[in-house]
Amino acid sequence: MDKVSDTKTPWFDSGLRFKCTGCGKCCTGSPGYVYLSESDVNRLAEHFAFSRAEFGKQYMRLIEDQHALLDRPGSTDCIFLKDKQCTVYEARPSQCRTFPWWIYHLEEPKQWEEAAERCEGINHPDAPIVPSLVIQEQVALYLDNLLDMNFSLN
C-alpha cells in the first residue's frame, strides 16, 4: 500500500466554521496560560521597544519552566486585554494567533464542540468555512511555536 492511501483524512476535511467575534472570552478567566516562544518574546519586546529582558521582567512569569504572560493584576484576564480588545493584536503571541486551531480542539468532533461552548466564533452561523488545508497550516504553525519555547532571556 502506498503512503497516500495510508494517510487518514482528518474528520474536518470539508472545513470548519470559525469567525472571531471580538468578544474577548478567549483572553479571560481560568484555566489557561499564554505560553510564549522565543519568537513571541522577540516580537512583543520589539512592539514595546524593550529589550527581551525588560519585556520579561514586566510581562512574564515562569510556569513549570515555561515562559508565560502575566495575568492582569487581580484577575485571570490576559495582561494585554483592555475593554475586551487585545492591545497588542499585531504582535500577539503565536498561541493566540493560532486559536482555535489547536491539536486538542481538532482531535475529534467532540473536542471541537466543547471548544465551541467557550468560544462563540466556533460554528458561528455567519462564519465562513475555513478550509482543511488552512486549518492544517495553522496547526503546523502552532507546533512550530511549541518547538521554540525553550530559551533564555539573556
Side-chain angles (χ1 to χ4, degrees), residues 80-136:
F80 297 128
L81 187 68
K82 182 176 182 182
D83 299 325
K84 296 184 181 181
Q85 297 294 307
C86 178
T87 60
V88 296
Y89 188 80
E90 291 303 318
R92 71 194 183 281
S94 298
Q95 181 177 328
C96 307
R97 290 172 184 268
T98 58
F99 181 84
W101 314 117
W102 301 345
I103 292 172
Y104 178 77
H105 295 158
L106 299 169
E107 285 179 332
E108 57 186 56
K110 178 183 174 195
Q111 281 136 308
W112 182 251
E113 294 305 321
E114 287 173 2
E117 291 174 17
R118 297 182 303 278
C119 173
E120 64 186 40
I122 293 175
N123 299 332
H124 192 283
D126 297 330
I129 294 177
V130 178
S132 178
L133 183 59
V134 172
I135 294 168
Q136 291 177 62

Side-chain angles (χ1 to χ4, degrees), residues 27-90:
C27 308
T28 63
S30 203
Y33 299 108
V34 176
Y35 291 104
L36 301 171
S37 67
E38 186 168 19
S39 301
D40 293 332
V41 172
N42 292 340
R43 189 172 48 256
L44 286 160
E46 183 178 318
H47 175 81
F48 287 104
F50 285 169
S51 69
R52 289 162 42 104
E54 289 172 309
F55 176 81
K57 187 174 183 180
Q58 187 157 346
Y59 293 109
M60 289 170 40
R61 60 185 163 177
L62 281 177
I63 306 290
E64 298 178 8
D65 295 324
Q66 296 290 313
H67 299 282
L69 285 178
L70 293 172
D71 291 331
R72 181 169 299 288
S75 79
T76 55
D77 295 353
C78 176
I79 195 163
F80 297 128
L81 187 68
K82 182 176 182 182
D83 299 325
K84 296 184 181 181
Q85 297 294 307
C86 178
T87 60
V88 296
Y89 188 80
E90 291 303 318

